[in-house]
Amino acid sequence: IGNLEDARAAMTKGAEGVGLLRSEFIFLGRTKAPTEDEQAQIYTDIAASLHPGQPLVIRTLDVGGDKPLPYLPIAPEENPFLGERGIRVGLDRPEILRTQSRAILRAADAGARINVMFPMIATLEDFRRAKAIFEEEREALGVAPVPVGIMVEVPSVAVMAPQFAAEVDFFSVGTNDLTQYTLAMDRGNPELAAEVDALHPAVLRLIAAAAEGGRKHALWTGVCGGLAGDLAAVPILVGLGVTELSMPGATVAEVKAMLRTLSPEACRRLAAQALLQDSPAAVRTLSNSF
């Protein structure tokens, strides 16, 4: 979701919480950054719109790359998707991350179960620095601990999932970026768009690695990219060990209806076969015959 209206709509469509609040939408379309009070009110209103105890996963500011902000200038880069974006912006300008952290923490008692998620994590040091900032603000406000997880959208995180799982509270796989980084294809390039398919076996292997790493440390592993709402992908993701799916509200009912019909063991067999395929087309053909 991107705002309060999205959250309210999702509650009418069978959603059981919010797996991804894209907080950058609070920052876009403005001439200056939202204040701490403004952010806190928005997060509180969204948290209060969910059923009590449902999860609300708030991703910290994810800008740069294809999402510039006029009041947060980033020098032109030859490869902006490999440059200052996501958590790298917050670590380079920690006052932004500190302000947002305080605002999120002020919504911790609004009804929903708040979780915080850092985007574009590539190394353990990235996570440790970001979490240290968040924890400093949490302790200063006297708020109880909040689960802190990461987006798995850089291949290095999936490859090192066991090491990350020892320190984070959850994984959420961003399949859109994970796919473009794995295949070295810009998902915004119209010439390549048809080939940027998250059901590529290489991407599925990374999702499987993340889920396995999370399972060994009793973490939940979600998928919050476009793949989560793809009916051809759902049984494969279940079979790979994914335990949470986040998607636009309009697709929730259809996916939940499918999930009710699935056998976990059959999904595991399907996923094992999918990992042996040589193309996303072959994976889709396999899934469509499931």
Side-chain angles (χ1 to χ4, degrees):
I1 69 169
N3 53 44
L4 177 59
E5 290 69 28
D6 289 348
R8 287 173 172 164
M11 291 298 99
T12 70
K13 299 181 186 302
E16 298 177 10
V18 170
L20 174 61
L21 169 54
R22 304 174 68 189
S23 71
E24 62 269 21
F25 283 95
I26 298 167
F27 291 75
L28 294 171
R30 306 171 57 104
T31 58
K32 61 181 181 179
T35 65
E36 179 183 326
D37 286 345
E38 288 176 309
Q39 290 188 62
Q41 188 62 58
I42 292 169
Y43 303 141
T44 296
D45 290 344
I46 291 174
S49 75
L50 306 187
H51 299 308
Q54 287 188 333
L56 169 58
V57 181
I58 302 176
R59 181 174 70 186
T60 61
L61 182 62
D62 187 14
V63 292
D66 59 341
K67 292 176 285 190
L69 289 177
Y71 54 85
L72 188 63
I74 296 174
E77 299 179 274
E78 186 172 344
N79 295 298
F81 280 106
L82 301 180
E84 190 175 0
R85 61 174 302 214
I87 198 61
R88 295 171 183 171
V89 176
L91 294 177
D92 184 57
R93 308 174 200 203
E95 69 283 356
I96 295 171
L97 181 57
R98 288 187 181 280
T99 298
Q100 185 172 31
S101 295
R102 290 193 299 271
I104 291 170
L105 289 161
R106 288 169 58 182
D109 294 326
R113 182 161 40 88
I114 299 289
N115 295 254
V116 172
M117 179 163 66
F118 299 132
M120 196 59 185
I121 293 291
T123 68
L124 272 166
E125 183 59 22
D126 289 342
F127 173 72
R128 289 166 180 163
R129 290 174 60 199
K131 186 176 182 183
I133 290 172
F134 183 81
E135 287 298 307
E136 286 172 9
E137 298 303 330
R138 184 188 66 78
E139 291 174 5
L141 290 175
V143 175
V146 170
V148 178
I150 59 173
M151 295 276 287
V152 179
E153 51 193 342
V154 179
S156 60
V157 176
V159 172
M160 292 181 60
Q163 292 94 319
F164 278 93
E167 300 192 29
V168 308
D169 293 318
F170 63 89
F171 290 140
S172 189
V173 182
T175 54
N176 301 341
D177 271 334
L178 181 62
T179 303
Q180 78 165 349
Y181 290 133
T182 301
L183 301 180
M185 293 181 181
D186 182 353
R187 60 189 172 94
N189 186 326
E191 299 296 322
L192 299 173
E195 298 183 59
V196 186
D197 190 335
L199 275 180
H200 193 291
V203 179
L204 295 180
R205 285 183 177 275
L206 292 174
I207 296 172
E212 177 62 19
R215 184 163 51 248
K216 287 181 177 178
H217 288 268
L219 309 185
W220 63 265
T221 298
V223 169
C224 65
L227 199 65
D230 185 336
L231 293 181
V234 168
I236 295 173
L237 294 175
V238 171
L240 292 177
V242 170
T243 50
E244 184 258 19
L245 298 172
S246 306
M247 65 205 70
T251 61
V252 168
E254 192 172 21
V255 171
K256 289 181 76 173
M258 171 182 260
L259 286 169
R260 292 188 183 103
T261 71
L262 299 178
S263 155
E265 182 55 40
C267 289
R268 284 191 285 271
R269 290 195 297 269
L270 175 65
Q273 289 180 289
L275 294 178
L276 298 177
Q277 303 307 304
D278 59 8
S279 69
V283 172
R284 289 189 179 278
T285 297
L286 179 69
S287 183
N288 289 336
S289 65
F290 176 62

